[in-house]
Amino acid sequence: MTAQNAIQDAYLYDAVRTPFGKVGGALAKTRPDDLAALVVSESVKRAPKLAAAGIAGAEQINEVVFGNANGAGEENRNVARMATLLAGLPTSIPGTTVNRLCGSSLDAAIIASRQINVGEADVMLIGGVESMSRAPWVLPKTERPFPMHNLELANTTLGWRLINQNMPSQWTVSLGEATEQLREKYGITRERMDEFAANSHQLAAKAWDEGKYDNLTVQVPDVDLTRDETIRPESTAESLSGLRTVFRKENGMVTAGNASPMNDGASAAWLGSEKASDILGLQPLARIAGRAAAANEPQYFGYAPVDAVNQAIERAGITWGDIAAVELNEAFAAQSLACTDAWGVDTSIVNTWGGAIAIGHPLGASGARVLGTLARRLEASGDRWGVAALCIGVGQGLAVVLENVNAR
């Protein structure tokens, strides 16, 4: 291998996100492409050399890669490109949008890191966005004009829609019903689910109170939202135990309290080679040391991170004994517990600044959120190794291992 095509390391330099709003809440009037443009422009402002150089400096950004799970509304037409243009960056910067549902922005980071590894790029801006408030209803086109039958609108906010009838019915159950099946398979109790969910709220509120998210968030202009809108610090396992189940009236355990809410928000992060430090004016936080995708039966989507994380750790050349921090997106308490049980991990290192049950889960934005949070957690603790992971609808999981380059 020559010096010209030698593999180079990819580093995470910075990460920022909006506070996440609840569906119909503080961010409901803000278009998703505007949310994405905000974190793009904020990222540039937080890179001293880029900010000082203005347009000329921004031209050194090789590409913008954003994740989005919907794509049916105002984020259409490649929201990565739209955000770049709306942020006022040079028209010469390419942009591409990735859709791996809940894992979209972590996939954006994986794609960008590979470009850096092979020497195709030195500076990549990645991120993701979702407005579940503004996701449209769609009307399918008919096979012939003027049909005599009624047409049904489809809600594009979340989950299966316009299902292909050739898809096995056991694969196309709702996300909630799939989680009921998963918790039955792995023996997850309602008590554990509610305790996990309450802990998520309390940890998230504590992290905000302690300023942990001050350097990870940017306020949305003209919006009264200073922290994640769905955090309920008063939540307890006892109070959550009184909530009705949502997906099964009989023998169900999944409730609105032990599942992630629907949200609006955007996130972004700088990835780059060693050369990016001079371009951005930032020092790297962490090296992307391992990556993996895994898949299983669609109805057990919540368990797919198990294999993804195990593979990513192996590819990083370490073991579970080296991992000091885990950021696992909490789609549901039951699936999070199934994963942590399978890993045998000490839950005291999982989502110590709260998780998606409290913070929220704006689908396309969540991957960059967990990755950025992991980097800042490792920075704060001085620990060396951590892993970020998400489960993904239709039976997939993604994981990235970070190495703190300033580990003590």
Side-chain angles (χ1 to χ4, degrees):
M1 179 175 288
T2 66
Q4 287 183 325
N5 60 8
I7 296 297
Q8 59 183 2
D9 285 326
Y11 298 93
L12 188 150
Y13 282 85
D14 189 28
V16 67
R17 67 174 177 89
T18 67
F20 289 168
K22 66 181 180 181
V23 162
L27 298 183
K29 294 182 179 180
T30 306
R31 288 176 58 115
D33 48 0
D34 286 331
L35 289 174
L38 171 64
V39 293
V40 168
S41 60
E42 179 64 17
S43 295
V44 173
K45 292 177 184 176
R46 290 162 61 110
K49 286 194 175 180
L50 281 189
I55 292 294
E59 288 178 346
Q60 297 182 82
I61 302 170
N62 294 112
E63 191 164 359
V64 175
V65 186
F66 258 54
N68 179 252
N70 198 320
E74 295 159 335
E75 69 281 84
N76 74 86
R77 297 287 290 169
N78 185 0
V79 72
R81 177 64 171 165
M82 296 300 104
T84 305
L85 297 175
L86 288 167
L89 297 187
T91 58
S92 60
I93 301 173
T96 188
T97 300
V98 180
N99 184 351
R100 205 193 284 247
L101 301 180
C102 304
S104 295
S105 54
L106 193 64
D107 209 12
I110 289 172
I111 290 167
S113 68
R114 289 181 182 135
Q115 289 181 247
I116 295 163
N117 288 154
V118 300
E120 293 180 351
D122 285 310
V123 178
M124 300 286 289
L125 182 58
I126 67 96
V129 65
E130 208 77 46
S131 176
M132 299 177 82
S133 292
R134 300 174 74 89
W137 296 80
V138 298
L139 187 67
K141 284 187 175 180
T142 59
E143 295 179 3
R144 61 187 180 89
F146 312 113
M148 299 303 294
H149 58 278
N150 293 329
L151 298 176
E152 183 176 328
L153 287 168
N155 186 352
T156 67
T157 304
L158 178 69
W160 291 92
R161 82 289 305 244
L162 306 177
I163 298 172
N164 189 319
Q165 295 306 306
N166 292 324
M167 194 73 73
S169 60
Q170 68 268 26
W171 289 355
T172 62
V173 296
S174 70
L175 298 173
E177 171 57 28
T179 302
E180 292 281 15
Q181 294 180 25
L182 184 70
R183 61 94 189 155
E184 286 178 328
K185 182 175 182 179
Y186 293 102
I188 309 298
T189 66
R190 172 72 185 269
E191 290 74 20
R192 290 186 68 199
M193 292 159 61
D194 289 339
E195 183 179 355
F196 182 92
N199 193 50
S200 181
H201 284 282
Q202 291 158 15
L203 288 172
K206 183 174 183 287
W208 273 103
D209 290 344
E210 293 176 348
K212 297 289 198 306
Y213 286 114
D214 291 352
N215 193 37
L216 273 166
T217 53
V218 58
Q219 304 304 303
V220 179
D222 304 318
V223 172
D224 184 18
L225 184 65
T226 58
R227 62 170 62 187
D228 302 309
E229 196 170 9
T230 47
I231 297 174
R232 300 289 180 266
E234 72 280 2
S235 295
T236 64
E238 183 178 10
S239 66
L240 293 178
S241 69
L243 297 178
R244 295 179 179 177
T245 58
V246 176
F247 301 97
R248 287 186 185 177
K249 292 183 179 179
E250 295 183 3
N251 302 317
M253 295 186 186
V254 179
T255 71
N258 57 41
S260 62
M262 293 188 288
N263 300 85
D264 310 325
S267 58
W270 284 115
L271 299 187
S273 66
E274 287 187 9
K275 296 177 184 177
S277 183
D278 290 334
I279 297 170
L280 298 172
L282 296 168
Q283 295 301 310
L285 295 172
R287 179 178 69 92
I288 295 181
R291 305 165 295 221
N296 57 13
E297 299 93 334
Q299 70 271 36
Y300 298 129
F301 73 93
Y303 199 73
V306 172
D307 192 31
V309 168
N310 288 340
Q311 287 185 46
I313 289 174
E314 182 178 0
R315 290 173 184 174
I318 60 174
T319 69
W320 263 109
D322 298 303
I323 297 293
V326 177
E327 281 292 319
L328 173 63
N329 192 55
E330 299 167 356
F332 295 87
Q335 64 81 207
S336 299
L337 288 164
C339 290
T340 56
D341 286 354
W343 294 322
V345 65
D346 180 354
T347 55
S348 68
I349 69 169
V350 179
N351 300 350
T352 58
W353 294 359
I357 288 174
I359 292 167
H361 182 19
L363 310 176
S366 290
R369 177 193 74 79
V370 297
L371 191 66
T373 303
L374 177 65
R376 291 299 181 184
R377 278 183 58 194
L378 291 173
E379 178 189 44
S381 68
D383 292 311
R384 184 177 179 185
W385 298 101
V387 63
L390 300 93
C391 66
I392 301 167
V394 203
Q396 295 192 84
L398 277 184
V400 169
V401 172
L402 291 184
E403 179 188 19
N404 178 6
V405 298
N406 303 300
R408 295 192 286 271

